[in-house]
Amino acid sequence: MADDQLAQSKEDGEKEQRAAASRVTWWGDGGESITVANRTLDPVLVTMFLQTREMKEQKSSWANYIYFGVVPPCTSVSVPEAAVRDEATRRNSGEDWLLRGVHFVLSDGTSWVRHANNRALAATEVPLPTGLANPEQPGGLLADPDATTIRMEQCRS
């Protein structure tokens, strides 16, 4: 009986974590900007990962991780896509960067990935790469002067 209750409690916790992670989304608007929306009641640390077309054709698993920043609760942040590509090029030479997805960490420490191809949500044990923040912009891409922040109404824990 105790094992059943423990298993049920674990399953309920995993469902709650997935529900919270599902409230973190992102999208692009045709090359102008990239938006990350955090509809949770806690801040979320977000990175983006990109590949060049050449890497994609070679089916390389290597990606260029760019620190997006800590997105505040109930907030969406849009940054110019050019700023994302410029930062990717500054960190690693390359052209024609493709946004492959976002990697984010919830306040409970769980790590999640949402890929660009289908935007499917997946839990991951892979830690975020260290040293992601651009030393010139401690806040990541959120510190870009052209970033826009919008307070969102529909949020929950």
Side-chain angles (χ1 to χ4, degrees):
M1 176 85 163
D3 287 342
D4 290 343
Q5 288 176 332
L6 185 59
Q8 183 62 46
S9 177
K10 182 179 178 183
E11 186 179 316
D12 290 346
E14 289 170 355
K15 284 181 182 177
E16 287 175 22
Q17 287 174 335
R18 179 169 284 284
S22 72
R23 290 190 279 281
V24 178
T25 56
W26 72 275
W27 62 90
D29 67 356
E32 292 296 316
S33 65
I34 296 170
T35 301
V36 175
N38 175 13
R39 292 180 178 87
T40 72
L41 297 177
D42 295 306
V44 175
L45 184 143
V46 179
T47 63
M48 300 182 149
F49 50 98
L50 299 90
Q51 288 181 314
T52 63
R53 289 195 193 280
E54 179 180 296
M55 290 173 197
K56 183 181 175 191
E57 289 167 8
Q58 295 171 359
K59 303 210 184 303
S60 170
S61 62
W62 183 86
N64 191 354
Y65 279 81
I66 305 299
Y67 181 58
F68 189 83
V70 177
V71 180
C74 300
T75 302
S76 72
V77 179
S78 296
V79 297
E81 191 169 316
V84 176
R85 293 180 195 287
D86 289 350
E87 181 62 10
T89 299
R90 187 190 75 75
R91 294 177 58 83
N92 293 292
S93 63
E95 295 180 14
D96 206 9
W97 290 102
L98 303 169
L99 182 58
R100 306 303 295 157
V102 296
H103 187 162
F104 60 95
V105 179
L106 298 176
S107 62
D108 66 3
T110 57
S111 189
W112 298 83
V113 173
R114 196 179 286 273
H115 291 277
N117 57 353
N118 59 13
R119 305 241 166 99
L121 180 64
T124 181
E125 297 295 323
V126 177
L128 289 172
T130 58
L132 287 172
N134 174 348
E136 296 167 12
Q137 295 181 354
L141 292 170
L142 284 123
D144 187 281
D146 293 323
T148 57
T149 301
I150 299 173
R151 190 84 175 136
M152 302 175 77
E153 297 296 321
Q154 299 174 347
C155 293
R156 60 183 182 203
S157 60

